[in-house]
């Protein structure tokens, strides 16, 4: 790897984490600790606002922007594959945004890398008809972003109907179905709801804030422990 490329990658690695140790950076770049220390010092001397010190870790100061990114051929292929697989499973708004972002990336690639990425033989079936799950996903995502409670009418696997007021926390894709992870006000506990079994959903005017024991991180820890 050319030194200029290594310095660029070093800044990328530091920017992508809250705190990066020299050992982590050395392992990722496949160089010695001494090289990392020297490269960081050189970048700092050039005005790159890298904060921290050897033995503690490094982070990038706020407000620093890098030049436009350039992707390798394999990275471009990975992006194409990710968008193709994700698009049929995302709600309409996110799917369109993903397509737009990919088009911008492909437009600035060298012609050979762009051709290789666009000819990638990886596809995912799409559904062009009415898809209530994708519509619900968009509404669920909106409620999660706005931190608003939802009222659900839900039908479980046995066909039993129930109504719940929940705090929507996150949507999860399991390869065949989407589920909504939430805090259920009725059960006073975490619950997962299959999105295709939601009969109706209504966004309430009642907002919610993160509370200890009721957050997305708490939900994930609870289900990882099962």
């Amino acid at each position: 790897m050319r030194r200029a490329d290594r310095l660029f990658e070093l800044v990328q690695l530091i920017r992508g984490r809250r705190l990066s140790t020299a050992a982590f950076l050395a392992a990722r770049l496949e160089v010695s600790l001494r090289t990392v220390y020297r490269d960081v010092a050189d970048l700092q001397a050039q005005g790159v606002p890298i904060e921290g010190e050897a033995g503690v870790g490094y982070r990038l100061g706020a407000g620093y922007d890098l030049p436009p990114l350039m992707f390798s051929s394999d990275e471009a292929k990975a992006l194409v594959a990710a968008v193709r697989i994700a698009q049929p499973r995302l709600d309409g708004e996110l799917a369109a945004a993903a397509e737009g972002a990919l088009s911008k990336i492909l437009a600035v690639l060298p012609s050979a890398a762009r051709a290789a990425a666009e000819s990638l033989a990886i596809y995912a079936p799409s559904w062009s008809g009415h898809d209530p799950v994708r519509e619900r996903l968009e509404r669920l995502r909106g409620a999660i972003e706005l931190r608003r409670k939802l009222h659900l009418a839900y039908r479980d696997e046995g066909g039993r109907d129930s109504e719940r007021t929940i705090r929507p926390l996150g949507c999860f894709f399991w390869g065949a179905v989407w589920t909504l992870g939430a805090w259920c006000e009725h059960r006073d506990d975490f619950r997962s709801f299959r999105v295709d079994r939601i009969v109706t959903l209504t966004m309430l005017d009642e907002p919610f804030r993160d509370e200890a024991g009721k957050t997305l991180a708490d939900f994930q820890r609870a289900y990882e422990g099962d």
Side-chain angles (χ1 to χ4, degrees), residues 133-147:
V133 170
R134 296 181 74 182
E135 292 179 3
R136 289 175 197 146
L137 281 173
E138 187 166 346
R139 296 174 64 192
L140 292 172
R141 184 168 57 85
I144 293 168
E145 292 174 357
L146 293 172
R147 315 295 287 168

Side-chain angles (χ1 to χ4, degrees), residues 177-197:
V177 297
W178 280 96
T179 62
L180 169 69
W183 176 265
C184 179
E185 304 273 276
H186 177 66
R187 298 293 186 182
D188 198 30
D189 200 356
F190 292 115
R191 287 292 185 270
S192 286
F193 302 93
R194 277 185 47 162
V195 175
D196 59 331
R197 292 180 182 156

Side-chain angles (χ1 to χ4, degrees), residues 100-136:
L102 182 61
S103 297
K104 292 177 181 178
I105 291 170
L106 293 176
V108 300
L109 289 176
S111 57
R114 182 170 64 252
E118 291 177 330
S119 63
L120 182 68
I122 292 179
Y123 304 94
S126 60
W127 172 250
S128 58
H130 174 67
D131 189 344
V133 170
R134 296 181 74 182
E135 292 179 3
R136 289 175 197 146

Side-chain angles (χ1 to χ4, degrees), residues 154-162:
Y154 187 74
R155 181 167 296 134
D156 67 15
E157 186 176 8
R160 295 179 292 270
D161 292 332
S162 63

Side-chain angles (χ1 to χ4, degrees), residues 3-139:
R3 185 165 189 267
D5 294 333
R6 189 177 73 241
L7 292 177
F8 181 86
E9 182 65 19
L10 178 60
V11 176
Q12 285 287 84
L13 289 170
I14 294 174
R15 186 172 71 164
R17 293 165 58 89
R18 186 169 298 176
L19 190 68
S20 299
T21 64
F24 167 80
L25 297 170
R28 290 294 301 270
L29 296 171
E30 298 181 346
V31 297
S32 66
L33 287 173
R34 183 178 178 182
T35 298
V36 170
Y37 297 146
R38 185 177 65 244
D39 286 350
V40 168
D42 288 346
L43 287 166
Q44 289 172 327
Q46 295 171 27
V48 180
I50 297 176
E51 303 169 351
E53 58 184 88
V56 178
Y58 301 103
R59 64 182 180 184
L60 201 61
Y64 181 75
D65 291 320
L66 288 171
L69 299 179
M70 186 54 66
F71 297 94
S72 69
S73 178
D74 285 343
E75 289 170 337
K77 290 177 184 177
L79 288 169
V80 169
V83 171
R84 287 180 180 174
I85 292 170
Q87 270 188 306
R89 295 157 177 82
L90 294 173
D91 63 67
E93 183 179 344
L94 274 184
E99 178 66 28
L102 182 61
S103 297
K104 292 177 181 178
I105 291 170
L106 293 176
V108 300
L109 289 176
S111 57
R114 182 170 64 252
E118 291 177 330
S119 63
L120 182 68
I122 292 179
Y123 304 94
S126 60
W127 172 250
S128 58
H130 174 67
D131 189 344
V133 170
R134 296 181 74 182
E135 292 179 3
R136 289 175 197 146
L137 281 173
E138 187 166 346
R139 296 174 64 192

